[in-house]
Amino acid sequence: MEKFEKITGIAAPLPLVNIDTDMIIPKQFLKTIKRSGLGVNLFDEMRYDRQGNEIPDFVLNQPAYREAEILVAGENFGCGSSREHAPWALKDFGIKCVIAPSFADIFYSNCFKNGILPIVLPQEAVDVLMKDAEKGSNARMVVDLEAQTVTSSDGEVFSFDVDSFKKHCLLNGLDDIGLTMEKAGAIDTFEAQAAQARPWV
Amino acid sequence: MSPKTLYDKIWDAHVVHEDADGTSLLYIDRHLVHEVTSPQAFEGLRMAGRQVRAPGKTIAVPDHNVPTTPGRENPDQMPEDSRIQVAALDKNAQDFGIHYYPVSDVRQGIVHIVGPEQGWTLPGMTVVCGDSHTATHGAFGALAHGIGTSEVEHVLATQTLIQKKSKNMKVEITGKLRPGVTAKDITLSVIGETGTAGGTGYVIEYCGEAIRDLSMEGRMTVCNMAIEGGARAGLIAPDEKTFEYVEGRPHAPKGAQWEAAMEWWKTLYSDDDAHWDKVVTIRGEDIAPVVTWGTSPEDVLPITAEVPDPASFAGGKVSAAQRALDYMGLKPGQKLSDIEIDTVFIGSCTNGRIEDLRAAAAVVKGKKIKEGMRAMVVPGSGLVRAQAEEEGLADIFKEAGFEWRMAGCSMCLAMNPDQLSEGERCASTSNRNFEGRQGYKGRTHLMSPAMAAAAAVTGRLTDVRELM
Ligand code: SF4
C-alpha cells in the first residue's frame, strides 16, 4: 500500500448528509473483477446525465475541483453497502482524504485499507472547512496525519483523533495481511484450543 | 467474574491476540463469499502465492447478479460482465477447495439465507461476509458483520480479522405487537427512532417480549437491518426457537457434538447486570405498519401518516428531505396511502424467506394484482422456492398475476436485469431506498411483505389492516 504523506490540496465541498455507497459508485460498476479504473464512474449518477454528458453543476465537474484531493461532506458518509469499490473509486479519482462529522463503520475501515484517510471532526469544524472548500482551487487545505491536524486555507487548525494502529499502518503503507501472518503461531494455537473447546465449529 | 453482554461473551471467545491499545485479532468461524466482492480478494491471494487458510469454514454462492428468470443456467442469459464474475467464483471455489453452491444447485440462493438454511450459521460463532447485510446471522446469537474486499482477502488468508471492540447497545421491544405489525415494521421503526447513524460504533442486541415472540425468520429480518441503523452487528440471544431451527440442518452438529454445543449455547445471553453504553426502549404496541417515504431507511412513517414537510426537520436534514421529496416525486401533506405504485418486489435477504412468502400469499390469496402492475416474487433460495411451491404459495402468487422467479438478490440492488426504470415507483420488501438503488431514478418504498402484497392488490401504498 502507498504511504499516506502530508497533503496540501484542493478540497471539494459536498454538503449532503448520508452520502451512500450507491451514490459513490453505482452497482453497475461492481461487475468488474479488478480494483482499478473506477475513478471515471465516481459519483456517476450525480456526475453524468443519461447520455454520459457531464452535469456542469456537480462539484467535481467544475474546473476548480477537478484536481480535488480532499472531500468535505455531511454526516454518515459512506453508509450502505460494504463495497470496497467506493474507496477504490475515490482513490482512482485522486481523493486521498474525506472529512465529515461521521462515517459509516465499514466504509471507514475500508478507507484505511486503501491509503485514504477519513477524518471525523465536529459539525462546527466541518462547517468551517465546508466554507473554506467553497472558495475553490485557490484555497488549499493541509492534512497532516503525523500531527493529526487539518489546516484551513486561512490557517485555522483543527485536530482530529485517529486509531494509533490505523495511523501507523497508513503512515508506513503497511499491508494488514503481512502483519497478521507474523502472528501465525498465535492463530495456530488458538485454532488448536478452539478445536478442543468447540469441535462442532 | 464481571457481568458480560452476549457480545462480550462471543468476542472474548474469539480473541487470538490483543494489543495494548485494544486492537485485536479476532478468529472467524464462518466466512461467506459471493461473486461481487470476492474476485479482487482471490486475485490478491494468487498474486501473493497464498492459500485459503480454512477452506472448510469458507462457503461461496453466487447471488448478487445472477438472473432470476427460469432457464438461467444457460450462460447466454447473462450479460458478459456478470458471466465473467460468476465464472470467476466458480473457478475460485474450485481452485481453493471451498464449499460451493452453483447456480444450478437447488440450495443456491442469497448468501444470508443459504448460511442459516444449511446450518453453517450457529450460535456463538463469528461470521463475516463481504456484504453489509451479514448482520442477518446475528439472529442466531452469532457475531456477524459485513467486511470490505481487503478484509475478505485477510480472512481468506488468515481466518482472522483485525478489529476493535464496539460498544454495547440494547434495543428492547417490550410487550406484544398489534395485528398487521411484523418484524419488518419493528426494524424500520427502530431506524426511524435512532436514525441511520444511531448505531454507529455499537453492536446492538435486540431483546424484549416482542423479539422473543418472533420466529427465527422474523428475527433474521430484524438483525438484517441493524446495518441500516449504522450498527456493526445486531444480535439476538439464542433460545429454544433457535435450537429447534438449527437442529438437523445439514451442517449443524449431531449427537455428542450437539450436546456439547448446546451446553455452551445455553450460556449465551447478556448477564442481568451487564453494562450497556446505550439503551433504546420501544413499546411493541406503539409500532404501526410502516413505509418509507424518502431515500434513507430512517425516512419511516406509519402508513396512516402524511408526507412530511422538509421544514419540519433540523440542520442538514432539511435539504436532505427536500432532495428526497424531489427525487421521490412527492409533496408535503400528501397522504401516504394515496401514493400510487407501479411495481411490487417481494424478496431479498430481508424478506425472502418462507414465512415472508406465506404472509404475502395470505394477503393476495383469491385476489388479483391491480391491472397494469408489475409484481414479482423472488424467493431467497432454491429451497424456499421449492417449499413455497409445495405449500401452494407459488400458485396463489401466479394466479394473482405475480411473476414467480428463481432465487437471487434481484431487484434488491438491481445488478441483474431486474431493475426499475426512470420514475417507476416500487413497493419493496428489501432494505435500501437509496437514490438509484433499484434502478436509475427508480423510486423505492420499503415495507413488510404483507404491506407490499396489499399494495400489489390496490395499486397504492395500503394499510394491510384494511385487507385483513
Ligand atoms: S438481497 Fe440485497 S441486501 Fe441482501 S445480499 Fe442481496 S443485494 Fe445485499
Side-chain angles (χ1 to χ4, degrees):
Chain A
M1 198 174 68
E2 226 176 287
K3 289 182 189 177
F4 186 97
E5 315 211 320
K6 184 165 157 178
I7 40 178
T8 303
I10 299 166
L14 260 179
L16 285 174
V17 299
N18 294 329
I19 293 180
D20 58 69
T21 51
D22 281 81
M23 283 184 186
I24 300 171
I25 185 83
K27 69 244 156 192
Q28 59 269 33
F29 307 109
L30 309 189
K31 293 186 179 182
T32 173
I33 55 171
K34 302 210 169 63
R35 283 180 163 95
S36 55
L38 289 164
V40 286
N41 303 112
L42 177 69
F43 293 114
D44 195 84
E45 290 178 1
M46 296 158 96
R47 205 162 137 206
Y48 307 105
D49 65 19
R50 270 318 232 185
Q51 285 68 49
N53 303 311
E54 287 187 0
I55 299 171
D57 283 354
F58 185 67
V59 63
L60 297 180
N61 288 335
Q62 295 166 18
Y65 297 107
R66 284 179 182 270
E67 307 291 316
E69 291 177 88
I70 302 164
L71 281 184
V72 185
E75 65 183 68
N76 204 24
F77 188 93
C79 61
S81 97
S82 63
R83 60 186 72 158
E84 202 159 314
H85 309 69
W88 293 338
L90 287 165
K91 182 83 185 181
D92 198 52
F93 179 89
I95 302 292
K96 299 190 176 115
C97 170
V98 185
I99 302 171
S102 61
F103 290 87
D105 195 44
I106 304 176
F107 176 83
Y108 185 80
S109 129
N110 280 343
C111 281
F112 285 97
K113 316 275 179 201
N114 292 284
I116 298 175
L117 174 63
I119 297 179
V120 179
L121 284 174
Q123 185 70 54
E124 308 78 66
V126 173
D127 290 344
V128 172
L129 293 171
M130 189 72 77
K131 282 246 144 48
D132 195 48
E134 281 161 7
K135 291 180 191 160
S137 54
N138 295 327
R140 305 225 163 202
M141 263 178 221
V142 181
V143 176
D144 187 340
L145 176 57
E146 182 69 58
Q148 296 184 211
T149 56
V150 180
T151 309
S152 75
S153 65
D154 302 331
E156 200 172 341
V157 181
F158 301 92
S159 293
F160 61 88
D161 280 338
V162 59
D163 178 85
S164 52
F165 175 74
K166 290 192 161 92
K167 174 179 175 178
H168 173 74
C169 290
L170 207 52
L171 279 174
N172 297 292
L174 296 177
D175 157 32
D176 280 355
I177 300 180
L179 288 175
T180 300
M181 287 288 200
E182 291 170 12
K183 301 203 178 82
I187 302 173
D188 289 340
T189 309
F190 180 94
E191 219 165 39
Q193 283 165 357
Q196 292 286 317
R198 297 190 295 278
W200 61 86
V201 171
Chain B
M1 258 195 334
S2 59
K4 288 179 176 182
T5 63
L6 171 57
Y7 172 48
D8 297 338
K9 290 179 184 179
I10 304 175
W11 174 274
D12 290 350
H14 290 86
V15 176
V16 173
H17 174 87
E18 186 175 342
D19 283 336
D21 72 346
T23 303
S24 302
L25 198 60
L26 209 61
Y27 193 80
I28 301 303
D29 294 326
R30 290 288 179 265
H31 186 193
L32 310 175
V33 175
H34 65 85
E35 79 276 28
V36 177
T37 56
S38 69
Q40 295 86 350
F42 284 110
E43 182 198 50
L45 284 190
R46 281 202 181 85
M47 277 163 40
R50 289 170 177 147
Q51 291 298 315
V52 174
R53 183 180 166 104
K57 295 174 180 171
T58 313
I59 298 100
V61 58
D63 56 1
H64 278 62
N65 71 66
V66 299
T68 59
T69 35
R72 62 179 177 174
E73 298 78 8
N74 177 356
D76 295 344
Q77 272 213 20
M78 269 196 246
E80 174 81 3
D81 41 9
S82 299
R83 196 169 60 232
I84 291 173
Q85 237 177 18
V86 173
L89 189 63
D90 288 345
K91 180 167 170 27
N92 288 329
Q94 197 171 28
D95 288 0
F96 291 95
I98 63 188
H99 298 279
Y100 188 50
Y101 302 103
V103 179
S104 55
D105 192 314
V106 69
R107 297 166 298 176
Q108 177 271 346
I110 304 168
V111 61
H112 308 308
I113 292 190
V114 173
E117 210 167 61
Q118 294 300 318
W120 289 116
T121 308
L122 299 173
M125 282 185 161
T126 45
V127 181
V128 297
C129 173
D131 182 280
S132 55
H133 291 96
T134 310
T136 314
H137 308 264
F140 291 80
L143 176 59
H145 57 86
I147 54 178
T149 298
S150 295
E151 289 175 320
V152 170
E153 186 178 338
H154 191 279
V155 177
L156 288 172
T158 68
Q159 206 57 28
T160 63
L161 204 55
I162 299 171
Q163 288 275 292
K164 266 218 169 144
K165 200 170 171 202
S166 304
K167 290 179 283 185
N168 278 291
M169 175 167 169
K170 172 157 95 168
V171 173
E172 186 175 15
I173 315 292
T174 62
K176 300 274 179 208
L177 299 178
R178 292 182 183 277
V181 178
T182 67
K184 186 65 165 289
D185 301 297
I186 295 180
T187 204
L188 282 171
S189 298
V190 170
I191 298 161
E193 177 105 2
T194 60
T196 44
T200 305
Y202 295 92
V203 163
I204 295 177
E205 181 176 337
Y206 299 95
C207 60
E209 187 183 349
I211 299 290
R212 287 275 141 247
D213 284 350
L214 292 175
S215 64
M216 286 314 293
E217 282 86 356
R219 294 179 190 183
M220 285 189 250
T221 302
V222 170
C223 288
N224 174 275
M225 291 191 72
I227 182 72
E228 258 63 58
R232 173 164 302 166
L235 284 171
I236 294 175
D239 61 10
E240 287 306 322
K241 275 186 198 167
T242 321
F243 307 141
E244 200 179 303
Y245 180 100
V246 168
E247 193 169 12
R249 303 230 163 228
H251 297 278
K254 314 247 160 13
Q257 295 227 344
W258 172 263
E259 300 304 325
M262 281 289 278
E263 212 170 297
W264 188 52
W265 292 348
K266 286 188 172 161
T267 68
L268 296 175
Y269 53 82
S270 290
D271 298 329
D272 281 343
D273 34 8
H275 171 76
W276 299 98
D277 300 288
K278 190 168 172 179
V279 177
V280 173
T281 307
I282 297 177
R283 284 167 21 120
E285 49 274 36
D286 289 349
I287 300 175
V290 292
V291 294
T292 61
W293 53 268
T295 53
S296 164
E298 71 189 12
D299 301 339
V300 176
L301 281 173
I303 178 67
T304 48
E306 288 156 8
V307 175
D309 186 345
S312 65
F313 293 91
K317 298 267 162 72
V318 178
S319 56
Q322 188 56 58
R323 184 184 167 94
L325 290 195
D326 291 346
Y327 182 87
M328 294 296 288
L330 298 174
K331 295 210 169 43
Q334 213 175 337
K335 281 179 70 177
L336 291 171
S337 56
D338 283 344
I339 297 173
E340 293 188 2
I341 55 157
D342 310 302
T343 302
V344 171
F345 170 69
I346 296 176
S348 86
C349 59
T350 316
N351 285 126
R353 284 170 287 269
I354 190 69
E355 184 184 280
D356 302 312
L357 303 195
R358 286 186 194 132
V363 174
V364 299
K365 187 169 187 180
K367 301 191 178 76
K368 292 264 183 259
I369 61 171
K370 183 85 192 272
E371 218 183 293
M373 168 86 56
R374 168 158 81 128
M376 62 168 109
V377 181
V378 185
S381 73
L383 291 177
V384 169
R385 186 174 195 271
Q387 189 176 350
E389 288 180 345
E390 210 178 285
E391 292 183 15
L393 308 180
D395 291 333
I396 295 175
F397 287 121
K398 286 190 262 185
E399 278 157 25
F402 280 86
E403 291 175 52
W404 180 243
R405 295 296 192 86
M406 308 294 285
C409 294
S410 179
M411 207 192 268
C412 173
L413 93 162
M415 260 184 95
N416 75 357
D418 305 337
Q419 299 181 5
L420 296 180
S421 54
E422 220 169 307
E424 193 174 341
R425 190 181 295 282
C426 180
S428 179
T429 66
S430 56
N431 43 56
R432 286 191 177 134
N433 50 353
F434 297 159
E435 290 181 18
R437 171 76 178 185
Q438 296 193 290
Y440 181 75
K441 296 257 155 98
R443 294 164 170 165
T444 302
H445 297 274
L446 303 176
M447 64 198 73
S448 73
M451 289 280 284
V457 171
T458 64
R460 56 182 173 79
L461 298 183
T462 299
D463 190 335
V464 65
R465 292 169 296 192
E466 288 168 19
L467 299 185
M468 281 165 63

